[in-house]
Amino acid sequence: MTIRMIALDIDDTLLTSTHQILPSTKSAVQDAVARGIKVVLCTGRPLAGVQPFLDQLELAGDDQYVITYNGAVIESLTGRVVAKHLLDNAAYREITALGQKLHLPTNVLDEHSTIYTADRDVDWWIVEQAAENQAGLKIRNPDDLPTDFAIAKGAYVGEQTLLDQAEPAVRQALGERFYVVRAGRNFLEVMDPQVNKGQALRDLAQVLDLSLAEVMAVGDEGNDIAMFDVAGLPVAMGNGSAEAKAHAKVIAGTNDEGGLGEVIRQYALQ
């Protein structure tokens, strides 16, 4: 099987546990690009939060792509939007109201990398989320924003035990009408029902005239399963969740052991 596109999750996949890109990972990615393989970062982050890693990997140009907001936006590295699926103002209000009802730290992201929260006492996880993604952070009630205000995703954040307890109630309230996914231990996200990393891979593969059998997808968490289910070669990191590993054909080494670089060389470059 020839690999022509590699979709990479960022946190705990591309990055080590100390948020670094290993030299062996960078080398493998650059060798793949030199062979004409598309390397697509596929993440819950907005483009501003992805740009530092694109720069480190020396990925650039209008013919290279990134999947952001867990699939809500597909764009070229020059910012040309290929596809997007946003949530309207009514959905934004519903997500915010449910967070207040369940006493969950809640924020939403617009398509321009700005985070909004109605929480006057802003939770540490929201501040950290804004800092990591180089995103603006604004405290606003839904009534403060225009009626056509749209968002790429909503997020409930906090300690793992808090989200573990709240997740069933969120899924019961929103799961039939939205895509609800646990993007990590500390993030429970809500998006348009058409949105997930797998559908975004389908859309991008069609744009690039690639077969999904030629796609290798690497990740570690529940939000990566959708792309595992469509990619010809789904790879879970050794540090990934049991749920993610159950949907993979290959288990790589951990993110701290250089597992990503090794699996790229073994399956895409040999």
Side-chain angles (χ1 to χ4, degrees):
M1 175 176 56
T2 300
I3 299 298
R4 297 178 61 197
M5 182 164 71
I6 304 173
L8 299 178
D9 174 56
I10 293 182
D11 294 291
D12 296 318
T13 298
L14 176 68
L15 303 182
T16 67
S17 56
T18 57
H19 306 289
Q20 305 298 313
I21 297 177
L22 294 174
S24 61
T25 299
K26 179 177 178 178
S27 174
V29 167
Q30 291 181 328
D31 286 350
V33 173
R35 290 198 187 185
I37 299 171
K38 298 290 186 186
V39 177
V40 179
L41 301 192
C42 192
T43 176
R45 295 171 179 254
L47 182 58
V50 178
Q51 193 61 55
F53 310 120
L54 296 171
D55 293 342
Q56 289 181 54
L57 296 171
E58 299 177 25
L59 294 174
D62 198 54
D63 63 342
Q64 301 293 339
Y65 298 88
V66 63
I67 294 170
T68 55
Y69 301 108
N70 276 323
V73 180
I74 306 170
E75 55 196 311
S76 75
L77 299 193
T78 60
R80 175 174 55 87
V81 174
V82 175
K84 65 180 178 181
H85 301 282
L86 304 181
L87 291 172
D88 63 14
N89 186 274
Y92 159 54
R93 289 173 176 272
E94 185 174 2
I95 290 167
T96 298
L98 181 64
Q100 293 171 337
K101 177 182 177 181
L102 297 177
H103 304 291
L104 292 175
T106 305
N107 68 89
V108 302
L109 288 90
D110 69 8
E111 60 180 311
H112 306 296
S113 303
T114 300
I115 294 175
Y116 294 82
T117 180
D119 301 342
R120 296 293 174 180
D121 296 321
V122 182
D123 188 84
W124 178 88
W125 281 103
I126 296 177
V127 176
E128 176 75 5
Q129 186 180 3
E132 281 190 353
N133 291 293
Q134 301 184 22
L137 175 58
K138 297 182 178 181
I139 301 174
R140 299 287 189 274
N141 286 315
D143 288 342
D144 297 329
L145 295 162
T147 56
D148 61 351
F149 178 71
I151 62 172
K153 68 174 182 177
Y156 302 114
V157 303
E159 296 301 326
Q160 180 176 355
T161 52
L162 174 67
L163 295 188
D164 286 346
Q165 294 170 359
E167 185 171 354
V170 172
R171 290 190 179 278
Q172 182 177 10
L174 303 178
E176 291 187 2
R177 294 172 292 113
F178 301 96
Y179 172 51
V180 179
V181 65
R182 191 70 175 265
R185 297 173 183 85
N186 309 106
F187 298 93
L188 179 62
E189 299 186 349
V190 183
M191 285 152 285
D192 183 280
Q194 300 179 70
V195 167
N196 60 65
K197 290 185 179 183
Q199 185 59 50
L201 279 187
R202 287 183 187 274
D203 294 342
L204 184 55
Q206 185 174 11
V207 168
L208 298 176
D209 195 25
L210 299 178
S211 164
L212 288 167
E214 300 172 308
V215 176
M216 173 179 172
V218 191
D220 70 296
E221 274 291 352
N223 62 330
D224 298 315
I225 290 173
M227 68 176 183
F228 285 0
D229 289 345
V230 303
L233 183 61
V235 179
M237 298 299 293
N239 52 283
S241 68
E243 183 185 19
K245 289 177 180 178
H247 288 257
K249 291 181 180 177
V250 173
I251 308 298
T254 71
N255 57 333
D256 290 331
E257 295 171 336
L260 179 56
E262 291 173 357
V263 80
I264 289 174
R265 292 199 177 280
Q266 181 176 356
Y267 290 96
L269 298 181
Q270 285 191 1

